[in-house]
Amino acid sequence: MDRPTTGGFAKTPGWLDWYDGPSRPRLRLPDGAVDAHCHVFGPGERFPYAPERKYTPCDASKEQLFALRDHLGFARNVIVQATCHGADNRALVDACLASDGRARGVATVRRDVADAELERLHAAGIRGVRFNFVKRLVDFTPKDELLEIARRIAPLGWHVVVYFEAPDLPELWDFFTALPTTVVVDHMGRPDVTQPVDGPQFGLFVRLLREHPNVWTKVSCPERLSVSGPPALPGRCAAERPPYADVIPFARRLVEDFPDRVLWGTDWPHPNLKDHMPDDGLLVDWLAHIVPDETHLRRLLVDNPMRLYWPDESKGA
């Protein structure tokens, strides 16, 4: 099915649309499970894509996201601002407000954001800002500007989400460790999974978490990290050959070593994938291979995201 991009926008050539008709997960999710990393795109006719964007997706509305949430068995979402919307957070805010308290957001803001705007975002359910260091997706923002933003959002109790690729961690180490908030690293810092899980590259990332207890990570997006697969598609994977097997040791290491500082999300609608578009139900089933037991699964999907995004409800549990 060719999904539209409305508002007079044209999809990036070769764009892969999100998978139609995902399976229902076989893994039973704990009550209150949170999909802690997903996006909304547009629709472009209502929420135009940013002029400075480096890709144009198909539309992926809040209604479609919430339908997927219910289909997969999640109770809540954490919606992360997509780079195709720049610092225009209207689509994100609209989705959070429409969720009846079942969604929180991570926004993109610039240095000149007014205090009143931060308060408005907070009231809408925003609880963090994202700093993207993946050069193919965004233009460089000076670190002093990002540090100023982090200092301004800290009194709100927000955190910083950082997205980078593993070879850039040494250069970014001093900046990350200077941030005055909780820091959540997207997708395990994008390790090279052809290298050993106990090798120097991933070892540096593990050291970051071990030495800095304010650093968390998402053990998400195996479909982005895998080299050998198999892909999470019907008929392409089985119990004896799970999807993205080469990513499992990396995610499992983090779940076992840092059980109280890991999150997971679908990354729906999976922007900028080049090889295949995964079945989100099979992605959920992948979790069975990275968690050792139900206690770890509950921490990953319920306790940790609730503590970070719904702390008042978490305390009352």
Side-chain angles (χ1 to χ4, degrees):
M1 178 179 179
D2 185 31
R3 299 193 176 276
T5 302
T6 59
F9 296 97
K11 279 188 289 190
T12 296
W15 183 265
L16 294 183
D17 296 344
W18 40 277
Y19 187 84
D20 190 34
S23 59
R24 289 193 183 274
R26 291 172 295 175
L27 178 67
R28 185 184 182 281
L29 299 183
D31 292 343
V34 180
D35 175 354
H37 188 97
C38 51
H39 311 280
V40 288
F41 297 154
E45 61 188 0
R46 185 176 177 197
F47 302 110
Y49 299 110
E52 71 274 17
R53 69 191 182 281
K54 294 196 174 183
Y55 65 89
T56 304
C58 64
D59 291 345
S61 69
K62 62 181 185 290
E63 292 86 3
Q64 291 163 325
L65 173 63
F66 297 158
L68 180 72
R69 173 199 66 196
D70 297 342
H71 176 79
L72 296 178
F74 287 96
R76 306 180 191 229
N77 301 105
V78 178
I79 307 171
V80 178
Q81 174 75 348
T83 60
C84 59
H85 280 294
D88 180 352
N89 296 289
R90 286 180 294 168
L92 169 64
V93 167
D94 176 72
C96 288
L97 290 175
S99 73
D100 195 25
R102 297 172 67 187
R104 292 287 188 255
V106 175
T108 296
V109 300
R110 298 199 172 101
R111 170 183 264 163
D112 59 357
V113 63
D115 290 340
E117 174 65 5
L118 292 177
E119 293 289 351
R120 187 186 74 85
L121 291 172
H122 187 84
I126 305 305
R127 294 296 182 267
V129 296
R130 193 187 200 200
F131 297 161
N132 194 321
F133 297 92
V134 179
K135 299 177 182 67
R136 57 190 162 79
L137 295 177
V138 294
D139 293 324
F140 178 77
T141 301
K143 292 175 185 174
D144 64 328
E145 178 175 340
L146 298 177
L147 187 58
E148 180 181 329
I149 292 169
R151 287 169 176 159
R152 290 185 61 198
I153 59 113
L156 293 168
W158 293 12
H159 60 277
V160 170
V161 174
V162 294
Y163 189 28
F164 63 93
E165 297 180 310
D168 297 325
L169 179 55
E171 174 191 347
L172 295 166
W173 181 283
D174 289 344
F175 173 72
F176 291 161
T177 56
L179 290 169
T181 66
T182 294
V183 178
V184 180
V185 178
D186 277 342
H187 318 325
M188 300 182 280
R190 292 191 62 101
D192 178 353
V193 299
T194 66
Q195 297 188 22
V197 70
D198 56 355
Q201 186 193 79
F202 196 62
L204 184 65
F205 183 62
V206 171
R207 179 186 152 205
L208 178 69
L209 273 76
R210 182 170 292 123
E211 294 181 0
H212 299 278
N214 65 313
V215 178
W216 297 37
T217 189
K218 297 172 190 172
V219 289
S220 49
C221 285
E223 70 278 13
R224 295 190 182 280
L225 304 176
S226 180
V227 174
S228 57
L233 290 170
R236 302 287 296 277
C237 54
E240 67 277 5
R241 191 167 180 257
Y244 316 122
D246 50 350
V247 185
I248 289 171
F250 295 83
R252 192 174 178 106
R253 164 72 66 83
L254 297 173
V255 168
E256 292 181 345
D257 287 4
F258 308 100
D260 296 319
R261 288 186 277 144
V262 286
L263 303 166
W264 185 86
T266 58
D267 194 37
W268 186 89
H270 310 286
N272 290 301
L273 288 183
K274 307 299 183 187
D275 178 69
H276 70 283
M277 188 55 61
D279 176 330
D280 289 285
L282 295 177
L283 272 184
V284 172
D285 287 336
W286 183 80
L287 292 172
H289 301 284
I290 69 168
V291 294
D293 52 45
E294 291 185 4
T295 298
H296 281 79
L297 183 64
R298 180 171 180 83
R299 286 179 178 178
L300 177 66
L301 295 183
V302 182
D303 297 343
N304 297 347
M306 288 298 293
R307 195 166 82 248
L308 192 60
Y309 290 99
W310 288 269
D312 294 339
E313 294 184 48
S314 177
K315 291 175 185 175

